[in-house]
Amino acid sequence: MKRIMLPVFLLFLFCLTVTTNLKAEVVKDIRELFGENRFIEVSLQEINHIKLPYQIKEVKTSKKMTLNIENKSLFVRLNKNEPAELFIILNDEEHSVINIILIPQSIPAQTVEIIDPTKKNEKIRRAEKSLPYEVVIRNMIISAKNSGNIDGYFKKDFSDENIYFSTDQLYLQKLKELKGYRYKLEIWQVTNISGDSLYLKERDFYTQGMRAISLDKHELSDNGTTKAYIVYPVTVEG
């Protein structure tokens, strides 16, 4: 059995993934809508649907476009083939303003869901802020291993998207992301493609920014698989 020796460029595993399928639905965390994350590709020819976590009070735009507001939904059709900036004023307690920039593309109509995980489960927010982070992370990993989910966390399935990384020994594919208030957990399937048996260790997969990683099993025969559970921080204030 060979001890796995991963190349140095595995350090870029979780920023150099490849996506081959364009999904007609995009999910954005309301807490992360800054910088380049504000740019959202939408259809130029079709009506696009933007779903908000709160009722919409008002929308201001930088360009003329067709808008229709229905409760928590905004239906948008761009009039010109140029980026358009939106300021969406929500009817929450703080009258929050969401700032996004729509980038027109020749693609099908898009559904963009902007989520607020803190609204979905206030219990999770309180637990993550009150418990020691080691306990929170351990509980996350145990729950994900036992059920594939974490109660109250926002779940995004990547089984229909081809997000992967490959070395001469391993093929890794992203399966799922579970996002809470302070932390998120990614589940990756790891396949041995080396032609020989391998012994894996968690530290082989470490990249900067990780809070924890756990493997279902460490010994893999040729073409054998295991799952990696990786915890990252979510950028929040407070």
Side-chain angles (χ1 to χ4, degrees):
M1 180 178 295
K2 294 194 299 185
R3 170 77 169 84
I4 184 170
M5 297 297 293
L6 297 181
V8 173
F9 62 84
L10 185 59
L11 293 176
F12 298 99
L13 167 59
F14 301 100
C15 59
L16 293 181
T17 55
V18 177
T19 305
T20 59
N21 297 329
L22 178 62
K23 296 282 285 182
E25 182 164 350
V26 176
V27 178
K28 296 280 188 178
D29 189 323
I30 195 172
R31 301 166 297 175
E32 300 174 356
L33 288 176
F34 54 86
E36 293 185 358
N37 207 33
R38 294 182 302 139
F39 293 84
I40 301 174
E41 293 186 350
V42 296
S43 174
L44 172 61
Q45 296 86 6
E46 307 293 338
I47 297 175
N48 303 280
H49 180 198
I50 301 175
K51 298 191 288 187
L52 283 301
Y54 304 96
Q55 192 172 45
I56 302 169
K57 181 179 180 182
E58 186 181 358
V59 178
K60 298 183 181 296
T61 67
S62 63
K63 299 285 191 305
K64 187 176 181 180
M65 65 183 70
T66 303
L67 291 176
N68 185 22
I69 300 173
E70 294 184 10
N71 198 7
K72 299 178 184 178
S73 290
L74 175 64
F75 298 91
V76 181
R77 183 169 185 172
L78 301 180
N79 294 342
K80 294 184 178 181
N81 189 11
E82 55 186 33
E85 190 167 14
L86 273 65
F87 295 90
I88 305 172
I89 304 169
L90 302 178
N91 206 17
D92 59 351
E93 292 181 0
E94 296 82 17
H95 293 292
S96 306
V97 178
I98 293 177
N99 175 217
I100 58 176
I101 299 174
L102 304 182
I103 308 299
Q105 300 287 347
S106 296
I107 56 178
Q110 298 290 290
T111 297
V112 180
E113 183 178 7
I114 298 175
I115 63 165
D116 183 358
T118 65
K119 177 193 175 189
K120 288 196 169 191
N121 200 323
E122 180 68 15
K123 179 181 177 181
I124 293 299
R125 187 186 72 84
R126 292 197 302 266
E128 287 192 3
K129 291 184 72 173
S130 62
L131 292 174
Y133 81 91
E134 298 95 337
V135 175
V136 173
I137 290 174
R138 182 194 64 195
N139 292 343
M140 289 173 64
I141 292 174
I142 291 173
S143 180
K145 284 190 172 189
N146 288 340
S147 67
N149 294 300
I150 305 174
D151 186 35
Y153 280 47
F154 175 78
K155 177 177 68 173
K156 183 175 181 182
D157 197 321
F158 290 86
S159 57
D160 293 332
E161 301 182 40
N162 198 14
I163 299 180
Y164 67 92
F165 181 85
S166 182
T167 73
D168 59 349
Q169 295 179 307
L170 296 176
Y171 180 87
L172 302 96
Q173 182 169 3
K174 189 173 184 179
L175 301 179
K176 191 180 296 185
E177 182 177 285
L178 307 170
K179 184 178 290 186
Y181 179 69
R182 289 184 178 272
Y183 305 103
K184 66 178 180 180
L185 183 144
E186 296 180 354
I187 303 176
W188 290 72
Q189 180 165 284
V190 182
T191 303
N192 176 9
I193 58 172
S194 69
D196 199 351
S197 297
L198 292 177
Y199 184 81
L200 311 179
K201 290 187 176 180
E202 276 82 359
R203 68 185 182 209
D204 296 323
F205 299 86
Y206 176 79
T207 66
Q208 187 173 7
M210 283 185 185
R211 289 295 181 266
I213 178 170
S214 179
L215 298 171
D216 269 343
K217 57 184 179 181
H218 298 83
E219 296 184 6
L220 288 185
S221 59
D222 185 34
N223 292 319
T225 64
T226 187
K227 287 187 176 68
Y229 304 84
I230 304 169
V231 179
Y232 289 100
V234 174
T235 303
V236 295
E237 296 181 359

